[in-house]
Amino acid sequence: MAFHYADRIGWHQGEDFMHNALHVPHMDNPTSPFLTPYAARFLPIAPLLALGTLDDAGRPWTTLLGGEAGFVRPLGQSNIGIRTLVVPEFDPVIKVLLGNGNGNGSVPLTNKNRLVAGLAIDLATRSRIKLAGKMVAGALDHEGDDITDSSKACETQMVVKVEQSLGNCPKYLNKKQIIPTMPEPALVSDTLPLPPEAVDLLAKADLFFMSTVHGTLSMGNNYRGGPPGFVRILENDNSATTLVYPEYSGNRLYQSLGNLKTDPKAGIVFPDLDSGDVLYLTGTTETLIGEEAAALLPRSNLAVKVRIVGARFIRRGLTFRAKPGEPSPYNPPVRFLATERAAPDAQSANMQVVYAKLIKKELLTSSIGRFRFSVSDPEAAGRWKPGQHVALAFEDELSAGYSHMRDDDPSSLNDDLVRTFTVSSSMHGNLPDDEFEITIRNVGKVTNFLFRQNVRAGLEIPLKGIAGTFSIHQPKGEVVPFVAGGIGITPLLAHLHQLVFGRIRLFWAIRAKDIGMAIDTFERFPRLGKSTMLYISGGGDAAVRGQEHETMPRLKEHGVQTFARRMLPSDIQGQDGLSATWYVCAGTEMRRAVVSWLSDKEVVYEDFNY
């Protein structure tokens, strides 16, 4: 399926408000107005699907379905099919969409075109896809003779027309291995205040799923995660039940918060993946920015307060459990309410901090550099794998304190100053095991800080963690194609020690002013040249043309095929003798284009918009 750029989705007024309030530079909305090929491939391997809809009063609710991969599948024409166990009596979303299913064991859909939103997610790999659309069809099928007992689990089949899809970043996702389990549902409470068991669930929760709505046009569904207890209870008594959670810095799209600006209602589900208990909530939100957020939740630039108006706590209502895995390296310590702890103690330091010390800096071009770090405790940090990225925390060096709203530095708002960089050094190269390199472009506050560093100053940065699942596989006898845009070459460089150079086909697009990075790459890896087609654009400036004139012979010495133009579809389509799996690492626009050119291929890529 090709991408249709004419049908792109713009920002609505709520999203525009959040972008302006938080000083986000203009960018295109990356949401696609259909089920993308990547989303279609991901759905069958996702073991969970959060699904949201609106009840008859216009209030959103969210549920969490699944338990094993394969229960959601693409059906063609941007339709998806869902087939899984549910508990219709206690699940507020299923009850709205399909009713109880009493009587004949199945329910014809009476809610065609009702808004729905979903989030397909694999917690084991930290992968997720956002979906939004409308119901097409659905039914319930009770097993056994007693079809009148809707409090028991039964199978549902639903068809949803996907009208929007978007791959999402893995930040704050705590890894978990999902295990299917037969539910034994029992209603504990459907009134407020929340019962003690629900309060206990919130105290240990490290994730929830939230549905939001934008008028009558569309819904959204997304995940929020953090350390256990990151959601705080502001009040829970006969007068009111109110929750508060921090909005950590992410991809800065602010789609959920944009929806909440136009319609503050939200539907939330908290799953207990140990016991199978589940807490369904619906409420009205208030988004707090800057000083308002900090006053309620110290150390926060952005927070959301949710006044709960409806709740349902079900014991053992989930159709799955989970084995805990690696927590997200991005998780900050729990931020306590101002009424819980004094601000200085609200965010205790990690007693086992691992540091990355800057030991070498090489400028490859005016805006691209390679930085080498040594790790203070390699055992505690863990060994990285090719294609992974490191998370470095620059808060101690660059934080402006807790003023939150700074006209002199508005970009610091909602910025935790944690950045991820793909490791560009080879594991078994010339570096010791306690060293790694990153190759980066000077594009913002943190990278500019690194470019200005003097290595002799001994800069040490906390290393938050190592993560990522992007990996290049070279099957025996196959030629692996890799498409790179600019510094998107970095994950390939980290893999080169384990690849056969003669069975790599590199399609690399760079700007003429970055040609120095290409020269450096082929001088360090001369055998890569004969496998490379290099597309050089933007060479209009006289100085750049002079640089090209000097460097072209050096590139040709390494066997590089050069083209003084942009990469075209014909450059990669119809290539013979290449593996059916293509690898892509490029910016959003180029990646979209390449994926559309390779619609008949399997394309593996990773978004690095963390």
Side-chain angles (χ1 to χ4, degrees):
M1 178 186 295
F3 284 84
H4 303 285
Y5 295 107
D7 296 331
R8 283 186 180 173
I9 297 171
W11 303 111
H12 64 64
Q13 65 269 31
E15 294 164 330
D16 283 335
F17 174 88
M18 294 304 303
H19 295 165
N20 292 331
L22 298 174
H23 304 277
V24 177
H26 173 74
M27 56 181 162
D28 291 333
N29 190 335
T31 305
S32 297
F34 49 83
L35 184 69
T36 65
Y38 176 77
R41 286 193 296 270
F42 176 71
L43 288 177
I45 63 175
L48 296 177
L49 176 71
L51 190 67
T53 194
L54 304 176
D55 63 17
D56 292 338
R59 285 212 156 270
W61 292 87
T62 306
T63 188
L64 191 57
L65 306 176
E68 56 186 335
F71 80 99
V72 184
R73 292 188 176 275
L75 303 178
Q77 300 299 313
S78 287
N79 290 302
I80 64 172
I82 304 168
R83 183 174 183 173
T84 189
L85 285 179
V86 295
V87 183
E89 174 64 21
F90 299 142
D91 187 320
V93 173
I94 297 301
K95 193 167 186 177
V96 167
L97 294 176
L98 303 176
N100 290 338
N102 295 331
N104 60 7
S106 64
V107 177
L109 184 69
T110 57
N111 289 319
K112 187 175 182 179
N113 293 324
R114 185 182 285 264
L115 289 177
V116 293
L119 185 78
I121 189 166
D122 184 356
L123 291 173
T125 62
R126 296 192 174 111
S127 302
R128 52 177 166 164
I129 294 289
K130 292 174 65 176
L131 307 168
K134 295 183 174 69
M135 284 292 294
V136 175
L140 294 170
D141 183 11
H142 289 269
E143 296 181 358
D145 297 328
D146 187 7
I147 62 173
T148 63
D149 189 355
S150 60
S151 66
K152 293 184 178 180
C154 67
E155 186 178 83
T156 183
Q157 296 189 56
M158 291 181 283
V159 177
V160 172
K161 176 71 172 182
V162 175
E163 298 176 340
Q164 298 181 24
S165 65
L166 173 66
N168 227 342
C169 74
K171 209 171 184 181
Y172 313 116
L173 282 168
N174 302 306
K175 284 190 173 182
K176 301 177 190 296
Q177 187 67 44
I178 300 300
I179 304 168
T181 306
M182 181 62 67
E184 300 175 4
L187 175 64
V188 176
S189 172
D190 59 2
T191 60
L192 296 171
L194 297 175
E197 289 177 82
V199 172
D200 292 343
L201 190 161
L202 291 173
K204 70 174 187 175
D206 64 357
L207 80 166
F208 67 84
F209 298 86
M210 179 171 66
S211 295
T212 57
V213 62
H214 174 54
T216 60
L217 300 176
S218 67
M219 291 188 68
N221 191 300
N222 215 335
Y223 166 106
R224 292 295 184 266
F230 78 104
V231 178
R232 312 307 299 167
I233 300 177
L234 180 63
E235 54 190 342
N236 183 44
D237 52 37
N238 291 328
S239 62
T241 296
T242 305
L243 309 182
V244 179
Y245 73 88
E247 281 281 346
Y248 303 134
S249 68
N251 55 21
R252 309 196 81 184
L253 300 182
Y254 299 119
Q255 292 174 314
S256 296
L257 295 186
N259 284 352
L260 294 179
K261 179 62 183 176
T262 61
D263 189 332
K265 297 187 290 294
I268 298 175
V269 60
F270 285 90
D272 186 332
L273 299 178
D274 296 324
S275 66
D277 296 346
V278 57
L279 176 63
Y280 302 104
L281 302 172
T282 187
T284 302
T285 66
E286 179 184 359
T287 301
L288 308 175
I289 301 175
E291 294 180 357
E292 285 188 328
L296 183 61
L297 199 64
R299 310 292 176 92
S300 298
N301 293 320
L302 195 59
V304 176
K305 183 163 62 173
V306 189
R307 185 182 178 96
I308 306 302
V309 299
R312 186 175 299 178
F313 183 73
I314 310 299
R315 187 180 294 124
R316 296 185 299 277
L318 297 176
T319 58
F320 47 84
R321 305 290 188 271
K323 291 182 179 179
E326 175 190 42
S328 170
Y330 296 95
N331 286 343
V334 172
R335 298 174 184 176
F336 294 93
L337 295 167
T339 54
E340 293 179 294
R341 293 192 181 185
D345 298 325
Q347 201 167 331
S348 60
N350 187 342
M351 299 302 293
Q352 295 182 333
V353 179
V354 178
Y355 288 94
K357 181 179 180 180
L358 180 63
I359 60 175
K360 188 175 182 180
K361 179 177 73 171
E362 300 174 88
L363 296 183
L364 308 182
T365 73
S366 61
S367 62
I368 297 176
R370 182 166 54 242
F371 299 81
R372 184 180 300 178
F373 294 86
S374 63
V375 180
S376 63
D377 189 342
E379 183 176 348
R383 191 70 174 117
W384 55 270
K385 298 177 183 178
Q388 289 192 306
H389 47 264
V390 294
L392 301 175
F394 292 83
E395 182 178 9
D396 292 342
E397 302 293 334
L398 296 176
S399 174
Y402 304 114
S403 56
H404 304 289
M405 297 294 288
R406 290 176 56 94
D407 292 335
D408 60 327
D409 187 14
S411 63
S412 65
L413 186 67
N414 192 43
D415 190 349
D416 60 7
L417 297 171
V418 175
R419 297 293 189 271
T420 58
F421 303 103
T422 301
V423 176
S424 59
S425 52
S426 176
M427 287 181 61
H428 302 292
N430 297 323
L431 299 185
D433 289 345
D434 63 345
E435 295 180 7
F436 66 88
E437 290 178 338
I438 59 175
T439 303
I440 60 176
R441 188 183 297 276
N442 188 354
V443 293
K445 182 175 183 178
V446 169
T447 51
N448 184 53
F449 171 76
L450 284 175
F451 272 74
R452 291 187 286 105
Q453 287 301 302
N454 187 323
V455 173
R456 290 178 294 178
L459 174 68
E460 290 187 322
I461 299 295
L463 176 60
K464 296 283 288 183
I466 302 169
T469 59
F470 186 86
S471 181
I472 302 173
H473 301 281
Q474 190 178 51
K476 186 176 181 180
E478 294 190 15
V479 179
V480 174
F482 189 99
V483 182
I487 60 171
I489 189 72
T490 52
L492 175 63
L493 300 182
H495 280 87
L496 286 179
H497 74 279
Q498 64 186 31
L499 301 177
V500 178
F501 283 86
R503 292 196 286 109
I504 301 171
R505 185 70 57 83
L506 172 60
F507 304 83
W508 189 7
I510 65 169
R511 291 181 285 188
K513 66 179 182 179
D514 295 333
I515 202 166
M517 177 178 60
I519 292 293
D520 175 81
T521 297
F522 297 118
E523 289 184 346
R524 296 174 69 212
F525 305 99
R527 291 185 295 163
L528 183 61
K530 294 181 180 180
S531 301
T532 302
M533 289 185 283
L534 187 67
Y535 303 87
I536 307 169
S537 60
D541 183 83
V544 172
R545 288 198 301 270
Q547 183 185 27
E548 287 185 84
H549 181 74
E550 296 176 2
T551 56
M552 284 301 182
R554 297 169 65 183
L555 291 171
K556 291 181 179 179
E557 287 177 4
H558 293 293
V560 180
Q561 298 181 57
T562 59
F563 304 86
R565 58 171 174 80
R566 293 179 179 271
M567 186 185 298
L568 301 175
S570 58
D571 293 321
I572 64 175
Q573 291 174 337
Q575 290 282 343
D576 296 327
L578 302 183
S579 172
T581 301
W582 286 64
Y583 296 87
V584 178
C585 186
T588 301
E589 290 300 314
M590 180 177 174
R591 187 253 302 164
R592 276 179 167 176
V594 171
V595 170
S596 70
W597 300 343
L598 298 171
S599 58
D600 60 337
K601 305 292 184 182
E602 179 183 0
V603 180
V604 177
Y605 66 87
E606 181 168 0
D607 285 324
F608 296 99
N609 299 320
Y610 306 150

